[in-house]
Amino acid sequence: MAKVIAVFGATGLQGGGVANALLEDSDFKVRVVTRSASSDKAKALQERGAEVVEASFDDPGSLERALQGAHGTFVMTQYAIERPDFYQLEIKQGKAVADAAKAAGVQHVVFSSLDAVQKTMGFPCLLYDSKAHVEEYMKSIGLPVTIVKYPLYYESYLSLRLVKKLKDETYKIGYAIEGAAIHGVSVTDMGFALREIFKNKDEWLGRTVGFSGDKLTIQQHADILSKHLAPNLFKPTKMTVDEFSNLPFQGAKHFGDMFKFWRLGNPDHDAELTRQLYPGTRSFDQWVQDNKGALLSAMANKM
Ligand SMILES: NC(=O)c1ccc[n+]([C@@H]2O[C@H](COP(=O)([O-])OP(=O)(O)OC[C@H]3O[C@@H](n4cnc5c(N)ncnc54)[C@H](OP(=O)(O)O)[C@@H]3O)[C@@H](O)[C@H]2O)c1
């Protein structure tokens, strides 16, 4: 009988990749967990055969109902960077999902975590530390977990967030990590990696995999984007972490802390293990080639 997997964030990027891959496999029945069953994305998933249930991280009762009868669950959490208490809130929400999974007797929880920066580096990165905290809690209450860690998604380039369009119609990539190489991956590809983890629960329980398609500098990202889209179209910023942290937008400091970790730390990602899980994991070069049309239309719409 097909196993029910409740997918949090299925209407978003990470969970969307997971739902997509599971929907293609008759071993699984996908349960989409969303705050709004009537959204276009939820309805599209329902049309592809998913069950859709409404629940919110902020409503523990709804989480327990959403997880009733599920064999497994993919859990991601989202930061509400506009709120001053976003760090505490993400921890509270993650713990609420953990408690609900425990109460519902879910047999395999795959949690999307990130490195414990404060603990290992001695400086905070609240966007990461919140998830590491939830991971620790999940383990402390004895949940049957597998930990996955996503690096920068290639799909981030489709929203061109932190990418500035200049007056001369070229683009500056705003990641303040000049010289440092960072891991990246496609969330679509990692949906298939996640499917392998759910298929091989006994092999993966208690383990961690940090996903990676490749490790490149932002100059290399810019060169690859320019190669496929137009010569010299993209350039990396030369901004320092401190300059970035002082930019006048909500959360700049926390993204600055993340760049500091990317520069100074050694984020836990492994391209070899990722390809063992899913041999179809693409490099950034391959992904840009496959997404040329979508990138061009994102650029055309960028103000
Ligand atoms: N961007 C990157 O490169 C990157 C890399 C690694 C990790 N991350 C992490 O990824 C996380 C974001 O994931 P994403 O990019 O997949 O997000 P996303 O595309 O913005 O989607 C967010 C998802 O979260 C769900 N959600 C939000 N609030 C909820 C709530 N209160 N209750 C239930 N569901 C809720 C939304 O579902 P509904 O709206 O349908 O309810 C939606 O499906 C962040 O924590 C970030 O730190 C990002």
Side-chain angles (χ1 to χ4, degrees):
M1 206 166 88
K3 291 179 173 136
V4 174
I5 308 290
V7 181
F8 287 87
T11 57
L13 285 167
Q14 283 189 29
V18 178
N20 174 61
L22 294 177
L23 279 167
E24 290 182 9
D25 191 317
S26 57
D27 283 356
F28 300 105
K29 225 180 140 1
V30 175
R31 183 181 292 169
V32 166
V33 187
T34 174
R35 287 165 297 177
S36 169
S38 58
S39 73
D40 290 345
K41 284 183 179 170
K43 283 198 280 193
L45 287 161
Q46 194 167 30
E47 272 163 28
R48 288 182 61 195
E51 173 194 5
V52 177
V53 299
E54 282 192 350
S56 168
F57 297 143
D58 298 315
D59 177 355
S62 74
L63 295 172
E64 210 176 310
R65 285 192 297 279
L67 289 170
Q68 275 312 323
H71 167 85
T73 182
F74 172 74
V75 181
M76 50 74 66
T77 53
Q78 174 66 302
Y79 51 77
I81 201 87
E82 68 287 356
R83 288 181 51 154
D85 64 341
F86 78 91
Y87 170 72
Q88 291 86 352
L89 182 66
E90 191 176 355
I91 292 173
K92 186 177 167 201
Q93 292 178 332
K95 284 181 168 182
V97 184
D99 290 338
K102 179 97 180 162
V106 176
Q107 292 175 44
H108 194 187
V109 177
V110 182
F111 177 57
S112 179
S113 187
L114 284 169
D115 301 77
V117 178
Q118 176 69 61
K119 210 180 231 179
T120 56
M121 301 295 294
F123 59 83
C125 173
L126 299 188
L127 300 172
Y128 276 47
D129 291 331
S130 50
K131 294 164 179 79
H133 203 97
V134 173
E135 171 184 336
E136 203 174 278
Y137 180 74
M138 287 182 163
K139 290 176 176 168
S140 77
I141 62 168
L143 273 187
V145 281
T146 300
I147 300 301
V148 297
K149 296 179 183 177
Y150 285 74
L152 177 75
Y153 321 146
Y154 302 152
E155 282 82 356
S156 306
Y157 283 108
L158 292 174
S159 63
L160 294 175
R161 195 171 170 218
L162 298 186
V163 176
K164 197 169 169 193
K165 190 174 191 172
L166 304 179
K167 286 204 180 80
D168 64 0
E169 304 274 306
T170 63
Y171 295 82
K172 187 161 274 186
I173 305 173
Y175 303 119
I177 50 163
E178 203 193 356
I182 55 159
H183 294 273
V185 84
S186 159
V187 289
T188 305
D189 295 349
M190 290 310 96
F192 296 100
L194 255 298
R195 188 171 79 184
E196 284 307 301
I197 290 173
F198 280 118
K199 271 185 181 286
N200 298 286
K201 169 169 83 75
D202 294 342
E203 189 188 330
W204 281 95
L205 271 181
R207 289 177 67 188
T208 296
V209 53
F211 293 142
S212 176
D214 48 24
K215 189 178 184 190
L216 300 169
T217 62
I218 295 301
Q219 180 66 58
Q220 287 172 307
H221 279 196
D223 292 344
I224 289 167
L225 287 161
S226 298
K227 178 179 95 175
H228 289 288
L229 300 170
N232 300 316
L233 195 58
F234 284 84
K235 287 189 189 63
T237 181
K238 298 216 172 292
M239 224 184 290
T240 64
V241 165
D242 284 345
E243 284 164 348
F244 187 97
S245 294
N246 287 317
L247 288 175
F249 74 88
Q250 188 76 27
K253 158 144 185 22
H254 305 297
F255 289 106
D257 289 342
M258 181 177 76
F259 295 143
K260 186 172 166 186
F261 175 56
W262 288 0
R263 272 174 184 258
L264 302 178
N266 187 19
D268 178 17
H269 298 283
D270 183 338
E272 202 180 311
L273 184 56
T274 304
R275 286 204 172 80
Q276 276 170 26
L277 251 179
Y278 180 55
T281 300
R282 285 171 290 179
S283 63
F284 186 58
D285 189 74
Q286 185 65 53
W287 181 86
V288 175
Q289 190 173 320
D290 293 347
N291 286 275
K292 224 171 133 171
L295 285 161
L296 286 169
S297 87
M299 284 157 53
N301 292 326
K302 176 88 177 166
M303 303 305 279

